[in-house]
Amino acid sequence: MEVNSFYQCLEYASAIKGAAATIDQSPWIASLAGVLVGFVLSLIASIGSRVWRERRQKQAIIAELQVVKTQAERTYKATAAFTFHCLTRGTESCKYDPAVSIGLRLFEQLYPGVVHLFSEGQNERFQYVVGHLDSLNRGVDFIMANLDKHPKSFLGHLAAVMGHSILLATCCEAIITNTSARSDEPLDPVVFARQLGISDEVIEAVVETD
């Protein structure tokens, strides 16, 4: 039941109380009115508890998306730096520090029960989030497992990880803010990189030549 229905129940309970006060002191009518008022008040309490619980669950999912967005941005920055190192210094050792095994555990547990609280656009973007997150995790796992090989052998995977990082972060932001932008609109990786504080030197070598 939605919030409007909840307030309708409150009004109904108030009306029942008023009616009960005007009824003759007939024992059976008074008893029936008491039972009815008790039932309605119990129903209102139950609905109020559910509304509060669902709102908290939705807030938890939004908070998790904010974490996922931050992890996607961290992965993008780490991958851009690592790619720049591979392109400019070749086989010289370099640390790769992306976010590993990003998860949506709260979303998986809570989303089915609160899907109705999100807009159609938000629900559509959740599908993109799940897809890009899976591709991002698999890409990062592949790179981490092949760091002992020549970096140029997996430059394509580095580019794919950066692409999925942008799309994942953008979709998360669209859900969090409930914006009207379409999930398949073209993105500007240069603007995205600059927003993360990546230097123009790295952008020119990695992003603009991607």
Side-chain angles (χ1 to χ4, degrees):
M1 185 176 295
E2 301 297 333
V3 175
N4 289 338
S5 299
F6 175 69
Y7 286 117
Q8 288 174 357
C9 285
L10 287 176
E11 294 175 356
Y12 183 49
S14 177
I16 290 176
K17 284 185 175 181
T22 61
I23 294 176
D24 284 340
Q25 299 304 311
S26 174
W28 71 270
I29 294 180
S31 298
L32 180 60
V35 170
L36 187 57
V37 169
F39 170 77
V40 172
L41 291 177
S42 176
L43 180 62
I44 290 172
S46 175
I47 293 172
S49 176
R50 190 180 71 180
V51 168
W52 178 84
R53 182 176 65 254
E54 289 180 347
R55 286 183 176 179
R56 292 293 298 272
Q57 291 174 343
K58 179 182 179 181
Q59 290 171 356
I61 292 174
I62 293 296
E64 183 176 57
L65 285 178
Q66 184 62 60
V67 173
V68 170
K69 175 177 177 286
T70 300
Q71 291 176 320
E73 293 171 344
R74 169 189 164 184
T75 297
Y76 183 90
K77 293 177 69 174
T79 306
F82 185 78
T83 303
F84 178 75
H85 180 92
C86 293
L87 293 172
T88 58
R89 300 188 182 182
T91 59
E92 182 181 332
S93 177
C94 177
K95 182 180 180 182
Y96 182 49
D97 186 30
V100 179
S101 299
I102 306 173
L104 284 169
R105 293 166 183 81
L106 290 177
F107 167 78
E108 292 170 353
Q109 295 174 14
L110 304 177
Y111 179 70
V114 295
V115 60
H116 59 284
L117 297 183
F118 292 98
S119 69
E120 181 179 350
Q122 287 175 310
N123 287 321
E124 177 187 354
R125 291 184 189 95
F126 273 120
Q127 300 177 38
Y128 288 94
V129 166
V130 172
H132 290 308
L133 179 58
D134 179 65
S135 296
L136 177 60
N137 281 333
R138 286 190 284 107
V140 169
D141 289 344
F142 178 88
I143 295 169
M144 297 293 287
N146 289 276
L147 289 178
D148 58 334
K149 299 179 180 179
H150 194 289
K152 288 188 177 181
S153 66
F154 50 80
L155 283 176
H157 288 84
L158 291 169
V161 164
M162 285 191 289
H164 287 298
S165 296
I166 294 177
L167 291 166
L168 177 58
T170 303
C171 287
C172 285
E173 179 66 17
I175 294 173
I176 292 168
T177 59
N178 195 18
T179 57
S180 58
R182 289 173 55 85
S183 302
D184 56 356
E185 285 184 344
L187 303 170
D188 187 340
V190 174
V191 173
F192 182 83
R194 284 177 176 158
Q195 288 175 343
L196 297 182
I198 297 175
S199 69
D200 288 340
E201 182 183 20
V202 173
I203 291 174
E204 183 177 354
V206 176
V207 180
E208 293 186 340
T209 60
D210 184 24

